[in-house]
Structures are given as structure tokens and as C-alpha cells.
Amino acid sequence: DAKTTQPPSMDCAEGRAANLPCNHSTISGNEYVYWYRQIHSQGPQYIIHGLKNNETNEMASLIITEDRKSSTLILPHATLRDTAVYYCIVRSQGAQKLVFGQGTRLTINP
Amino acid sequence: DAGVIQSPRHEVTEMGQEVTLRCKPISGHNSLFWYRQTMMRGLELLIYFNNNVPIDDSGMPEDRFSAKMPNASFSTLKIQPSEPRDSAVYFCASSLAGTGEAFGQGTRLTVV
């Protein structure tokens, strides 16, 4: 699976949109982009995934560039409870292994 | 649905003792995963099962570790004998093909 690169940490003000970038320049045609997060002392939580179209659900939006070499996870109105480590993972269709990197530690400030 | 249920939540044991971690996946999910998380190595996949059959155990650190899934609603991860370097948080996760994994709350293992 392709490698991803994320900033180690980010800050965002409560109520503002949090935009978390991820680079995956070696992604191949059948690889999906997945996002998970891990709130302190909890298990990882699935957020969203996509192939090439932008996706939105009740938690977040995922914007994938046209060349698919990068993506952005958007939390539209961040709350203090969104403080967590966010992992961007590239994964082949049908593959079941999740390989977690170091992620981005997002801190939402009041 | 109660989600993925792991027990115990915390385990403290002495070096050399056998440790058994338990997991109940979400009903209807056909894949089950065991992960380990440490500060040094982050989240690592140890083993996963499809339809109760072990598919990939390449992440299991050594023969002291074993995992079983006797039926669709139960799995165990056993460490025998345990060592201090096994101290970590162990997560179980389950999924249905095409969906994201659901993780349990984890078992924090401390081997003294």
C-alpha cells in the first residue's frame, strides 16, 4: 500500500473548520484513502473513506485532488471533543490490513 | 449494538504468567483484527481472521503469542509466557467487507 505523509500536529479554534492534509503521491488506481481518529485512551474510530470523488458523512468531508496524490479531511465545525490523533491510510481495494502511520495530532482550542 | 467488546479493560500480571485477552466482535461482521499499540511503535496489526479463519499472522511478534477464533462471536489473544516488553494496549477490531473497522476500547496490559 502507498505511504502517506501527514503533519505531526495542528491546532484549530473551536467552531472553526479543521482541515487536515495528507499526501499520498504514490497512490495507485485501486487504492482508497481512509481516515481514522483516536481520541485519548480510546480505540481508533473510522471516519470516512473515498476513491476519487469527494465524500461527506455526518462526521466529516473528504476532498481528494484530481490527481489523487493528496487529500484533505474537513471537520466543518470543530469542537473540543474532536481533539485526537487523525490517521490517513491508503489501502487497496479488497485489502484488509490497516497500516497506521504516526498521524496528525489535532488540538481544538477553546 | 454495543460495539466491539474487549475484556479485561486492564490487566496487570507478573512476568512469566499466561495472559488471555478476549474479544467479542460486532454481530454480523466477518473479519476480526488484533492490534497492539505502544508509544515506541504506534499501532501494529498482529493478526486478522476472515470468517473465523486466520489469514495473516505475520505481525505476531513471536511464538509466545497465539490467537484463536473458535466461532464468529469470540476471539482470544494469548501470551504465554508474558514478558515486560509485552506491556501495551491491545485492540480488537471487526468489520464487514467494504466498511471501516470498528475498534474496541482496548485492554491495557502491564507485565511487571
Side-chain angles (χ1 to χ4, degrees):
Chain A
D1 294 330
K3 181 179 171 58
T4 63
T5 303
Q6 298 178 253
S9 64
M10 291 182 64
D11 285 84
C12 179
E14 187 179 18
R16 305 297 294 268
N19 298 288
L20 292 96
C22 179
N23 286 325
H24 31 79
S25 58
T26 61
I27 194 169
S28 59
N30 70 341
E31 289 182 318
Y32 288 73
V33 180
Y34 279 75
W35 283 84
Y36 288 75
R37 73 180 182 183
Q38 188 173 22
I39 295 170
H40 183 60
S41 297
Q42 297 184 21
Q45 177 188 24
Y46 164 79
I47 301 173
I48 198 167
H49 75 280
L51 183 63
K52 54 183 178 180
N53 296 322
N54 298 337
E55 302 287 344
T56 295
N57 63 20
E58 65 278 4
M59 290 183 68
S61 294
L62 174 60
I63 308 299
I64 303 174
T65 58
E66 193 167 340
D67 64 7
R68 302 210 321 123
K69 293 185 177 183
S70 66
S71 60
T72 301
L73 179 75
I74 301 173
L75 308 178
H77 304 287
T79 71
L80 299 178
R81 289 176 294 180
D82 292 321
T83 292
V85 178
Y86 287 77
Y87 297 97
C88 169
I89 300 169
V90 168
R91 183 185 199 178
S92 303
Q93 183 179 19
Q96 296 199 274
K97 292 178 69 167
L98 275 175
V99 179
F100 287 85
Q102 295 304 307
T104 295
R105 183 173 297 277
L106 175 68
T107 302
I108 306 301
N109 300 306
Chain B
D1 196 321
V4 175
I5 299 173
Q6 292 186 244
S7 64
R9 291 293 311 277
H10 302 274
E11 176 81 36
V12 180
T13 191
E14 290 185 346
M15 182 175 62
Q17 296 297 307
E18 177 181 294
V19 175
T20 299
L21 311 182
R22 296 173 175 81
C23 176
K24 177 177 167 51
I26 291 175
S27 177
H29 282 189
N30 62 346
S31 296
L32 183 138
F33 309 80
W34 283 100
Y35 286 84
R36 178 172 68 175
Q37 186 171 34
T38 61
M39 287 292 291
M40 291 294 293
R41 301 174 66 92
L43 271 161
E44 303 172 282
L45 177 65
L46 300 178
I47 185 172
Y48 74 91
F49 297 81
N50 269 0
N51 298 315
N52 312 339
V53 175
I55 302 300
D56 184 350
D57 65 354
S58 60
M60 296 285 262
E62 48 196 275
D63 291 346
R64 297 184 297 107
F65 286 69
S66 63
K68 294 182 179 179
M69 191 164 186
N71 56 62
S73 59
F74 183 66
S75 177
T76 60
L77 177 68
K78 185 177 293 186
I79 308 172
Q80 166 62 20
S82 59
E83 297 182 3
R85 60 190 168 125
D86 302 329
S87 297
V89 181
Y90 291 81
F91 289 104
C92 176
S94 69
S95 71
L96 188 60
T99 66
E101 284 79 354
F103 283 77
Q105 291 298 299
T107 295
R108 181 174 296 276
L109 173 65
T110 303
V111 183
V112 298

